[in-house]
Structures are given as structure tokens and as C-alpha cells.
Amino acid sequence: MAPARSTAQRIADARAILERRHADAWVASASPEGSAHLVPLSFAWDGVDATVVVKESSPTARNIVAAGRARLGFGTTRDVVIVDAALVSQASVADAAAAVIAGYAAQADWDPSALDDRDEYVYLVLRPQRIQVWRESNELAGRTVMRGGVWVDAR
Amino acid sequence: MAPARSTAQRIADARAILERRHADAWVASASPEGSAHLVPLSFAWDGVDATVVVKESSPTARNIVAAGRARLGFGTTRDVVIVDAALVSQASVADAAAAVIAGYAAQADWDPSALDDRDEYVYLVLRPQRIQVWRESNELAGRTVMRGGVWVDAR
């Protein structure tokens, strides 16, 4: 088992995963009735928020809008990043900020604003509140690198 | 974009993923209050049921026991297998069937029955009810290869 990474290293590794181009996140959401939904989605990260784009009619959109939150997973059992995030805004292609549309098109592997059925999609801007980062059991301690939307002091 | 796979091929591909050794699943569950949980977990597949092992006190165990179901995801955005499963049994290490313990130890990359704190773990046996398999947009049609716990007729 490798030595446990420092908090600073884990934050750097989490940022690197969030900055990856053409990557995807597993996005879990729950209905008000307590039914779990899960899909892999392309995403974009601007350093503060993660944006996903889904059809407005999808269970993911309906659940996240109703609950105001989602849980995103990246990696594998031996190299995990988990992000609990709050919905900070939602917008159709017509209403989304130009920076959100451009940022998404630049990092994700598709551009929903260019689709014929673009009016069916919604940009969901999610702000991480808690981020957990771990590999093996020796990294379970200290796995929370963001709390209350603030990176844990890594000094 | 590759041609859409046949139903038979998708079933074969889903089975191959479920049979992989030392692999993991993203496991989504929801609390009765509608809070989504998500973790990557090792799993075992015996041809009918998927077994995961978690601490009995974990959100995953509490959610799945309360809801009686979970949603499992495998792969990437471009090669997805999604399993909606019902909880068919739960057992501690002391009470689990020998075949369940041995099957899990053989396929997963750890053996909870050998741990010092094994009494804290629970084997959750999950039976797929619906399985969806797709790669690109041309595979969205026909993505459901199991319905009501029965593989779709692949002829």
C-alpha cells in the first residue's frame, strides 16, 4: 500500500480530475420519494462549479432541481473522488450564460447548444460543498478535502 | 459511430462486465428523505445476483435495506451498463451462506469474512430487475436488455 497522500496532494489530484477534458462523472440523484437515479455524464469545471447538461425531462434533471443537490463520483474503488454538490443555477440553452455554454463545449466531448433539439436540454451548475478523496484504507482518515464549500486548509 | 450492437451482443457484454474479477460498481442508493448516496464498491456475480459488502452502519447499507433497492453503474459515458436491482437478502458474515462468502472472496479483490472487524459488515444480495446497455446515441433504442428480472428475448 502506498503512503497516504497529503491533503495538499489530494486537493491537487481532485482538481486534476475535475479539469480533465472529455471525461465523465457518475451522477447520483434521488427523487422526493427516495428512488435513487444514476447516470454517467460529461461535465465541465470552471474552478468553482461543475456543470452537467441533461434533458430537462430526464430523471436526473427532475431530481436535482427538486432536491437542489447531487452526488458525483469519479475514479475507481482504489482511487475515488466523491463530490457532494448543491445546485446553484439551471438554465436552458437559450438562457445559459455564454461562458457556461462555451466552457462546457470546451471541456466536455459534445456541445448541446449546437444540437437540433437543444431546447430540450438544461445546464445544471453544481457547486461542491464536500469533496472526499481516497485510495486505500490508509487514506480514509483525512479523506474530506472540502467542507462547507471550502477547501480544507492544506498547510 | 460503430453500428448498434444486437440485443444478444449487449446481453453478452453485460454478463462479461458482471463476471469481471476485481472490478467495481458505482452503487447509488437513496435515503427515505430523498438524499442520494454514491460509492464505488467491489462486487461478485453468480449469474443471477450481484453481491456487495459494506459496513452495516454505512449510508449505503441503511439506504438499501430501507428502500429494498439500489442502482448500479458500470463503464463510461460511451460504454454504459446500468442495473436496477432489488435487495433479496442481507446477512452478516456469521449468517451469510458459505457460497455467498466464497463467491465474493473469489471475484472481489478482498474478503470481508477474513477481517478482524468482520462482524461490522453485511452481505447485500441484489437481484437485477432492469438492465440497460448502451454506447453511443444509436444504441439508446433497444438499451433495455432485462425487464422485470428477465433477459429480453434476444432472438
Side-chain angles (χ1 to χ4, degrees), chain B residues 51-75:
Chain B
T51 297
V52 297
V53 180
V54 286
K55 288 209 173 179
E56 197 168 3
S57 60
S58 66
T60 295
R62 288 184 279 113
N63 288 349
I64 293 178
V65 168
R69 59 191 163 155
R71 185 163 161 114
L72 282 59
F74 306 85

Side-chain angles (χ1 to χ4, degrees), chain A residues 13 37 45 50 55 63 69 80 109 114-115 118 127-128:
Chain A
D13 291 348
H37 196 67
W45 170 249
K55 288 210 173 178
N63 288 350
R69 58 191 162 155
V80 182
D109 56 356
L115 298 176
R118 58 184 170 271
R127 183 156 305 171

Side-chain angles (χ1 to χ4, degrees), chain B residues 27-51:
Chain B
V27 178
S29 60
S31 73
E33 299 77 30
S35 179
H37 197 67
L38 175 66
V39 283
L41 294 176
S42 300
F43 67 92
W45 170 250
D46 65 5
V48 176
D49 294 322
T51 297

